[in-house]
Amino acid sequence: MLGCGDWLTRRLDRRAVVRHTARLALAAPLAAVLAACGGGGTGGGSSPVASPVASRDTRAPRRGGSVRVALTGEPPNLDLHQTTDSIVLLVTGHIYETLFTWDDRYEPIPLLAESHEVSDDGRRIQVRLRQGVPFHNGEEMRAPDVIASIERWGRIVGLGQGLLRVTEQLSAPDPYTVEFRLSEPFGTFTTALSRALQGCAIYPKSVLDRSSDTHLAEFVGTGPYRFVEWQPDRHILVTRFDDYAALPGEPRGYGGHKAQYLDEIAFIPVPDEAARVAGLRAGTYHYLETISTDHYPTLRDDPNVAVDLLRPDSWLNVVLNLKSPITGNHTIRRAIQLALDHEPIMQAAFGEGFYELTPTLLPGADAWYSEAGAEHFNPRRPEEAKRLLQEAGYDGSPLRFLTTQEIQQEYNATVVIKQQLEQVGFTIDLQVYDGATLSDRRDDPAAWEAYTALASFRPDPVLRNLTCKATGWWCTPEKDELLARLQTESDFKTRVEIWHQVQQRFYEEVPRLKIGDSRRILVRSPKLQGIGPTELQPELANAWLEG
Amino acid sequence: MIAYVLRRVLLLLPIMLVAGSVTFALLHVIPGDPAAVMLGPEATPEQVAALRERLGLDEPLLAQYPRWLSRLARLDLGTSIFLDKPVTAAIRERIVPTLQLTLYALLIAVAVGIPAGVVAALHQDRLLDRALMLFAISGTAIADFFLAILLILLFSVTLRWLPSGGYTPFSDHPLQHLASMTLPALALGLSLAGLPARLVRATLLDVLREDFIRTAAAKGLMRETIAVQHALRNALLPAVTVLGYALGDLLGGAVVVETVFGLPGMGQLVVNSIARRDFPVIQGVVMVFAAIYLLTNLLVDVLYVYLDPRVRYAGR
Amino acid sequence: MPVGRAGAVARPKLRSRPSGWRATYAPDQRRSWLRLLLASRVAVLALAFLIGLAALSALAPLLAPADPELVNPAVRLRGPSPEHWLGTDDLGRDVLSRLLYGGRISLLVGAAVTLVAVVLGAALGLLAGYWSWLDGPIMRVLDGIMAFPGVLLAIAIVVSLGPGLGSVIIALALVYTPVVARLIRSTTLVIKQMPYVEAARCIGLPHRVILWRYVLANSVSPLIVQATFIVAYAILAEASLSFLGASGNPEAATWGAMLRDGQRLVSRAWWLALAPGTVLFLTVFALNLVGDVLRDALDPRAHERREDAPVQ
């Protein structure tokens, strides 16, 4: 009970409450969940809606112990700059740190930086670094390390390229200050440097000197846990970094104080889903990276497991290929939009109670919630879709729909979408591949018309890849102009305004279809307490194991 | 004898070449790009192209094949794209869990199969015989990935006796090692136990009819004693032989079992390498698997000649 | 389960000892195999089960209560009920209907793999056994294929050819072809030396006739035994392939693919694994029984010693 109230007040600001009421109308399942929460009943660790935040602070933390985390597979590498596969975050989030990070309301706060100053014209930014922050290899973090890291990141990552493009000079006036001289203002400076996935991790210059843009020589950072060893298919081991320069005070989202209660964290790849679930129930693992919500009833009833139901923070979308002669046609894309009924799609993918239907493109990021274009969201007008198809002169040539069974939610959704589209007259060629073939196919504009993708939480729209380069190739000058302004603009209200316009265009031009928001479950051993925010990656730096 | 073995060893070379070339050809028609897999779903084409270049993936096939051959002649299997280390080193790390798994599985198969076969033969045509033989076939008839999860549910989740997965090296902690290997070995071994059980039973029945056994029985020895002392020795030969040939199957089964139990063995290495398109590793593992299989078969054949004087390899 | 080539290979290997059945092999055995099979009660039961299963699968369009591919997410993961006797899967599809239709595909995979492997393997085995100059090259290539762990070879082929039932069949057929070829080669080598074959050659019968009428005709019995085991192993191997992510069309799933899906949710929805797991198990079990009984019936020694059959 207390947990529930706590969850409501801490998670929902006033705007969000209003919005949630609106959402309730759209999504009965949430209502059921909230009602269950209000009604109490279960309580304790196995309460269906005990947020991780609420489960914190129940007992005094204990120092020590080794936590085993089951991963869905092997991370491709541990170079945060390099890979866009979000599985690495779980590991790297504890090894590396960035200049800025996110607080619990997903606003950027300094982490390795102490502060930053922007000149009045916005074209000179000075970042003051914290002093006495050691790397795992014993070196102290200083401006040259930061500059080398930013330069490498700026060569590899799209967002970094955007920043470096407007950077005329990057220099170090003193060992603890980094100065950017920009050709034009870059309003999302701290957002860009807070980015988690493909984030600007600060590596020691000595390591970068031995590395290249495609290869990182050593996994050294400033984070609370130190990389020990990586035995592929067995484990990745990190241990407490005793010289860690912890910030004083309380934890704040991904920033603030990190207590490092755990001695050691082992990340173990367990590719088989059933074995992952069984392993958690058997006590072999303390935490699962991610697990299908289909397992919720089993895990909820198991006293050896604690399940937390999270707020919806990811979204399912259908990416359309705008370079294809079929889906390049706007009328046909509109027909697809009108043909779909999102409710069964989300049911098939996530199960009853684990989704919401909202038009926002940034679920979980309350500040960016938008209803723009909502009239085009889930319109369910198959008759009109049929008419549009005729109007467009659709000749029945097959729509090649790519999917993989490796991500069950995407596959399930795709099968339902296929049947719905067939009902309005589309011919669907469902092509099921393994992950590697799929990503290969997606890069070829001539090979497909559509695929379904699950997109994870993003705290800021510039982190949502809707550029012309992204697969699907949504290229309209007006939209690209808006996205560019979103990057350079610093005034929050103006940015929200711009974002509404982007979302409006998203629904009108139909480059993709947003299907719905999905909830995740956080499953852990009841002994594992104090897990921090989990939207980007689970923060274990303040977690502890009860004896 | 020596000439025979020498000739067999020489014959291995063209076979290995066939296996290697088939894999090589197969790998180059597999769609998918290791660079793209490493960089994840949102990598830019430029990023992928840069990585491809560093990894040397852009070379044409015709240039790669002769180089692969010449390296193979020097037992150099190349460098893993993903693991960033020589393939031989990767295999050396992974071969131990797989060998342990197959060894334990073989032990279980023998420990379960041979007594079952003996008991069945001694109770020929009675209920116990039928039950044991049905059990033996059951092992071969169940899908091993399903057997594996059932074992986990019983021994890990319900009884909480054994870990559900993971691997501890023997040198780190012998007891934990055995605990972590018990379920995988059971999953693999039980599916194999039917083979020796059926063989031992059939051969034992044959042998029990032989004259020397009748003589022993006439001398007043117990049937059980005869079976164990005389007949079993004669019956073991075919059982051991078959298990030797079964090694290829064991390695194949290890692939599935390692995946369910998350063991860092050769099976997972090759399955994951196929998923990641780590071509040098796939190629290397196939060569090693083929070599193991062929050498074991050779060993079994030689052993056969040695143990069964009736067999003479004249021709072939 | 392992792909099962050892089980299949080991038997002829074992029996091919010089003192084994091969030498005493007589051409008049082949007429009696059906009679012998029917003499065993267990074998009759197993055979009846297999025929019944094939019939149920063949009649699936008439028997299935629902369209096996029609999704209905609103009723997903429901347990057995009067509307859905075997419950529904995670897309709300009727498990019973999928089981019936899946039987068609599973049995088709088993049959097609066996057919291709037997035809290809028998041809290669005959060539290798009959003409000694072809023996070396053919057997080296087959040994090379044999040296791959079967599952790996099959995954690699399926991934290269692209997913689909055809790829799975081709891949598994290739895995079992060497098994059949080895068997036929060894019988050919023996039969070639038989007086009646030499007589046929003396009167100038063409090779093609000798191969067909004498050599192949006399290899039919061991081939049938072998084929029975290959069907069983192929059905199971397809399940393993599904599990490892190399499967055919997942919408029209095989029993193996259904079991894979069931395994994923085994603690949540037991009925998903139970139904395909049981039929898969029973089918392979029955095929093994039939194979065992056939093999022993065809082994001349078994005439004197009925007890050689593991299960009567």
Side-chain angles (χ1 to χ4, degrees):
Chain A
M1 275 307 297
L2 209 151
C4 286
D6 199 26
W7 177 70
L8 278 175
T9 49
R10 285 184 81 152
R11 285 307 181 120
L12 309 180
D13 56 89
R14 36 200 205 309
R15 270 184 310 174
V17 173
V18 176
R19 222 171 306 121
H20 266 279
T21 336
R23 281 187 210 172
L24 289 180
L26 288 158
L30 179 71
V33 170
L34 282 176
C37 177
T42 39
S46 60
S47 151
V49 191
S51 89
V53 181
S55 69
R56 198 184 265 179
D57 316 324
T58 45
R59 262 173 265 176
R62 188 182 76 100
R63 201 175 159 84
S66 168
V67 157
R68 289 185 300 276
V69 176
L71 303 181
T72 50
E74 195 69 50
N77 62 46
L78 294 182
D79 179 357
L80 191 58
H81 294 174
Q82 196 63 246
T83 182
T84 65
D85 192 335
S86 56
I87 192 172
V88 298
L89 279 182
L90 214 67
V91 184
T92 57
H94 299 98
I95 304 177
Y96 309 123
E97 290 180 315
T98 43
L99 289 177
F100 298 87
T101 191
W102 309 100
D103 70 2
D104 37 15
R105 301 172 68 89
Y106 286 99
E107 272 155 34
I109 50 166
L111 182 60
L112 286 176
E114 194 171 80
S115 62
H116 81 291
E117 248 169 65
V118 186
S119 66
D120 290 341
D121 62 355
R123 292 172 52 178
R124 203 187 62 148
I125 303 177
Q126 276 205 340
V127 180
R128 210 164 306 283
L129 305 175
R130 281 164 56 204
Q131 297 193 13
V133 175
F135 282 110
H136 301 154
N137 63 4
E139 296 169 22
E140 193 198 1
M141 181 202 61
R142 287 167 193 239
D145 304 307
V146 174
I147 290 178
S149 300
I150 293 177
E151 282 175 342
R152 181 173 186 266
W153 175 74
R155 284 192 300 270
I156 301 173
V157 182
L159 194 62
Q161 285 166 357
L163 175 60
L164 284 209
R165 203 174 301 124
V166 297
T167 303
E168 284 170 341
Q169 199 201 344
L170 182 55
S171 60
D174 67 73
Y176 298 103
T177 308
V178 173
E179 187 178 273
F180 289 78
R181 284 195 182 269
L182 307 176
S183 57
E184 52 186 277
F186 195 82
T188 52
F189 181 76
T190 51
T191 304
L193 291 173
S194 300
R195 180 179 172 146
L197 188 58
Q198 277 204 307
C200 184
I202 303 301
Y203 302 133
K205 186 170 187 297
S206 61
V207 170
L208 289 179
D209 288 341
R210 288 181 282 126
S211 311
S212 71
D213 284 359
T214 53
H215 179 246
L216 185 63
E218 217 181 320
F219 307 130
V220 177
T222 56
Y225 288 85
R226 191 166 52 80
F227 173 81
V228 178
E229 63 170 8
W230 183 2
Q231 293 188 18
D233 296 334
R234 183 173 169 215
H235 63 211
I236 298 170
L237 212 58
V238 300
T239 56
R240 184 194 297 120
F241 177 43
D242 288 321
D243 297 331
Y244 177 65
L247 284 165
E250 284 289 304
R252 279 177 71 195
Y254 289 98
H257 184 69
K258 305 202 172 172
Q260 301 173 284
Y261 295 119
L262 301 170
D263 292 339
E264 185 182 75
I265 311 173
F267 299 93
I268 302 161
V270 188
D272 186 54
E273 187 174 326
R276 224 161 36 240
V277 173
L280 181 75
R281 297 175 66 198
T284 310
Y285 314 114
H286 297 101
Y287 183 85
L288 303 189
E289 175 207 352
T290 157
I291 199 73
S292 158
T293 40
D294 285 341
H295 297 289
Y296 182 70
T298 321
L299 296 171
R300 181 197 51 202
D301 297 339
D302 191 327
N304 298 310
V305 176
V307 194
D308 308 306
L309 189 57
L310 306 178
R311 280 211 308 153
D313 61 7
S314 349
W315 61 314
L316 185 75
N317 68 132
V318 178
V319 181
L320 300 173
N321 178 359
L322 273 65
K323 285 189 182 173
S324 146
I326 307 173
T327 40
N329 182 333
H330 179 250
T331 317
I332 288 186
R333 294 203 303 275
R334 276 283 294 150
I336 297 175
Q337 191 178 48
L338 291 164
L340 296 183
D341 180 357
H342 295 196
E343 186 97 42
I345 302 172
M346 294 301 284
Q347 265 175 348
F350 304 99
E352 196 61 65
F354 298 102
Y355 62 89
E356 284 179 18
L357 300 178
T358 70
T360 184
L361 300 185
L362 289 170
D366 293 332
W368 297 96
Y369 184 87
S370 169
E371 300 253 339
E375 65 276 17
H376 296 300
F377 176 74
N378 196 15
R380 281 171 294 163
R381 294 206 296 269
E383 290 312 314
E384 205 176 324
K386 282 182 194 164
R387 196 180 52 74
L388 279 184
L389 264 194
Q390 269 189 343
E391 196 180 294
Y394 174 69
D395 57 357
S397 38
L399 219 79
R400 289 162 299 173
F401 218 120
L402 309 183
T403 188
T404 174
Q405 284 196 289
E406 285 168 25
I407 303 171
Q408 193 66 33
Q409 292 93 337
E410 289 181 7
Y411 173 76
N412 281 7
T414 308
V415 174
V416 181
I417 293 169
K418 171 186 183 245
Q419 296 197 354
Q420 291 184 357
L421 290 180
E422 279 171 346
Q423 275 163 15
V424 299
F426 279 103
T427 312
I428 306 291
D429 174 12
L430 187 67
Q431 303 185 354
V432 188
Y433 296 109
D434 71 308
T437 311
L438 182 67
S439 65
D440 205 41
R441 292 262 149 166
R442 278 177 187 168
D443 289 342
D444 178 2
W448 57 279
E449 269 74 43
Y451 67 84
T452 313
L454 201 55
S456 56
F457 171 75
R458 296 293 143 91
D460 190 283
V462 293
L463 305 175
R464 182 69 82 206
N465 191 2
L466 293 172
T467 59
C468 183
K469 273 184 185 171
T471 40
W473 304 284
W474 180 24
C475 303
T476 44
E478 298 83 359
K479 183 258 327 183
D480 288 333
E481 171 63 32
L482 286 173
L483 285 184
R485 276 180 56 206
L486 209 51
Q487 248 182 36
T488 51
E489 181 59 56
S490 57
D491 179 59
F492 182 74
K493 268 193 173 156
T494 321
R495 293 189 71 220
V496 170
E497 209 43 57
I498 299 169
W499 178 242
H500 287 339
Q501 289 177 44
V502 175
Q503 183 169 322
Q504 184 71 35
R505 288 190 171 272
F506 178 92
Y507 281 103
E508 280 167 6
E509 296 175 17
V510 210
R512 302 181 186 188
L513 290 151
K514 189 208 161 169
I515 306 296
D517 314 334
S518 69
R519 308 172 72 103
R520 293 182 295 130
I521 47 176
L522 187 155
V523 291
R524 59 184 168 88
S525 152
K527 285 183 185 166
L528 181 63
Q529 299 279 341
I531 300 171
T534 59
E535 283 85 351
L536 295 166
Q537 84 250 359
E539 172 71 277
L540 297 174
N542 289 305
W544 72 90
L545 265 184
E546 277 173 6
Chain B
M1 187 66 198
I2 293 170
Y4 166 74
V5 172
L6 267 179
R7 206 173 45 216
R8 282 289 302 266
V9 171
L10 276 179
L11 273 177
L12 291 187
L13 295 178
I15 300 176
M16 291 290 287
L17 193 68
V18 168
S21 303
V22 167
T23 327
F24 193 87
L26 214 53
L27 291 183
H28 284 85
V29 295
I30 287 186
D33 181 346
V37 174
M38 282 174 78
L39 293 174
E42 284 181 20
T44 59
E46 299 90 68
Q47 221 188 322
V48 176
L51 187 58
R52 279 188 68 88
E53 199 186 314
R54 178 175 77 83
L55 298 172
L57 295 171
D58 287 324
E59 265 185 300
L61 180 59
L62 282 175
Q64 288 180 39
Y65 186 65
R67 210 147 35 84
W68 173 74
L69 274 183
S70 75
R71 274 206 321 241
L72 185 68
R74 283 175 279 133
L75 294 181
D76 172 5
L77 295 173
T79 307
S80 161
I81 296 171
F82 183 90
L83 304 170
D84 203 21
K85 62 173 87 164
V87 172
T88 39
I91 290 176
R92 211 176 310 127
E93 287 167 12
R94 301 308 190 80
I95 204 158
V96 176
T98 303
L99 285 185
Q100 285 166 337
L101 172 65
T102 43
L103 181 73
Y104 299 152
L106 266 174
L107 283 179
I108 289 176
V110 168
V112 173
I114 292 184
V118 172
V119 171
L122 291 177
H123 295 80
Q124 187 198 338
D125 283 345
R126 272 180 272 164
L127 192 65
L128 190 59
D129 177 25
R130 302 249 165 97
L132 279 172
M133 285 302 107
L134 287 179
F135 172 75
I137 302 184
S138 315
T140 32
I142 192 162
D144 46 10
F145 64 90
F146 193 57
L147 179 63
I149 198 71
L150 292 182
L151 288 174
I152 292 179
L153 286 178
L154 178 62
F155 290 105
S156 303
V157 176
T158 309
L159 298 172
R160 300 180 83 83
W161 287 351
L162 294 164
S164 71
Y167 175 75
T168 314
F170 187 81
S171 51
D172 283 15
H173 200 302
L175 231 96
Q176 256 178 36
H177 167 77
L178 290 177
S180 69
M181 294 301 276
T182 306
L183 289 184
L186 266 179
L188 193 54
L190 285 182
S191 68
L192 206 72
L195 211 54
R198 288 151 96 182
L199 270 165
V200 164
R201 180 188 175 278
T203 342
L204 202 56
L205 286 176
D206 263 3
V207 175
L208 281 172
R209 300 258 164 181
E210 303 267 352
D211 290 339
F212 70 94
I213 302 283
R214 289 195 185 153
T215 314
K219 283 184 351 200
L221 287 173
M222 293 274 293
R223 230 169 95 84
E224 283 75 13
T225 325
I226 301 166
V228 173
Q229 283 188 351
H230 298 268
L232 193 57
R233 199 182 308 147
N234 286 288
L236 276 183
L237 181 67
V240 169
T241 319
V242 164
L243 286 180
Y245 288 121
L247 192 80
D249 281 357
L250 264 177
L251 292 177
V255 173
V256 171
V257 171
E258 284 175 10
T259 304
V260 178
F261 290 97
L263 298 179
M266 299 270 280
Q268 271 232 72
L269 177 66
V270 69
V271 167
N272 289 339
S273 296
I274 291 176
R276 301 162 188 151
R277 307 296 190 260
D278 195 341
F279 300 125
V281 176
I282 310 173
Q283 183 84 60
V285 173
V286 165
M287 297 313 284
V288 171
F289 270 166
I292 292 177
Y293 176 81
L294 292 171
L295 286 175
T296 321
N297 271 5
L298 175 60
L299 199 72
V300 166
D301 284 355
V302 172
L303 207 68
Y304 221 111
V305 180
Y306 185 72
L307 291 177
D308 189 343
R310 286 174 298 176
V311 179
R312 285 280 168 268
Y313 285 98
R316 204 183 157 202
Chain C
M1 61 116 247
V3 172
R5 282 194 296 198
V9 178
R11 292 183 183 93
K13 265 272 176 185
L14 181 74
R15 295 279 159 89
S16 68
R17 286 184 313 184
S19 61
W21 61 276
R22 201 171 65 179
T24 55
Y25 195 71
D28 61 345
Q29 295 297 323
R30 63 193 151 101
R31 260 173 278 110
S32 55
W33 65 266
L34 192 64
R35 196 171 50 80
L36 281 161
L37 189 63
L38 293 177
S40 156
R41 245 182 307 145
V42 178
V44 170
L45 266 178
L47 210 59
F49 172 79
L50 289 172
I51 292 171
L53 209 62
L56 284 179
S57 302
L59 297 176
L62 298 176
L63 297 173
D67 178 345
E69 292 180 30
L70 185 71
V71 299
N72 185 1
V75 296
R76 70 197 292 271
L77 294 176
R78 297 271 167 91
S81 67
E83 305 94 82
H84 301 284
W85 290 2
L86 294 178
T88 58
D89 70 2
D90 62 337
L91 280 164
R93 297 175 293 201
D94 182 56
V95 173
L96 176 60
S97 307
R98 286 179 74 68
L99 200 66
L100 288 168
Y101 276 91
R104 300 177 128 195
I105 308 168
S106 279
L107 296 178
L108 175 78
V109 168
V113 166
T114 310
L115 192 73
V116 176
V118 163
V119 170
L120 206 64
L124 289 172
L126 280 177
L127 291 178
Y130 196 72
W131 284 287
S132 43
W133 59 274
L134 275 174
D135 193 24
I138 291 183
M139 290 321 285
R140 289 303 80 74
V141 170
L142 291 179
D143 282 346
I145 294 175
M146 194 81 180
F148 282 94
V151 171
L152 292 188
L153 179 62
I155 300 177
I157 294 174
V158 172
V159 175
S160 315
L161 295 180
L165 213 54
S167 316
V168 173
I169 291 173
I170 292 174
L172 288 177
L174 217 71
V175 169
Y176 294 108
T177 298
V179 177
V180 178
R182 278 188 171 197
L183 172 81
I184 295 301
R185 173 183 171 274
S186 65
T187 55
T188 307
L189 281 175
V190 174
I191 295 168
K192 189 167 81 167
Q193 310 291 334
M194 292 281 169
Y196 59 87
V197 174
E198 278 178 23
R201 237 184 315 213
C202 288
I203 61 168
L205 281 183
H207 290 307
R208 145 178 76 79
V209 177
I210 296 176
L211 278 175
W212 182 258
R213 195 180 298 164
Y214 295 98
V215 182
L216 193 61
N218 281 317
S219 310
V220 163
S221 299
L223 205 54
I224 286 175
V225 175
Q226 187 74 80
T228 316
F229 286 113
I230 293 182
V231 176
Y233 290 131
I235 291 176
L236 261 191
E238 191 276 329
S240 287
L241 280 188
S242 287
F243 175 74
L244 292 171
S247 57
N249 172 11
E251 273 189 285
T254 58
W255 289 336
M258 289 176 73
L259 182 60
R260 188 265 326 267
D261 290 346
Q263 188 259 12
R264 186 176 78 86
L265 293 170
V266 64
S267 318
R268 162 73 202 273
W270 51 267
W271 58 91
L272 284 185
L274 188 74
T278 309
V279 283
L280 198 65
F281 174 78
L282 287 178
T283 308
V284 176
F285 193 89
L287 281 165
N288 265 293
L289 274 180
V290 171
D292 268 353
V293 171
L294 268 182
R295 188 186 58 230
D296 295 312
L298 294 168
D299 187 336
R301 290 179 307 167
H303 289 296
E304 309 137 36
R305 303 180 197 148
R306 200 181 55 88
E307 67 274 15
D308 200 30
V311 178
Q312 295 279 317

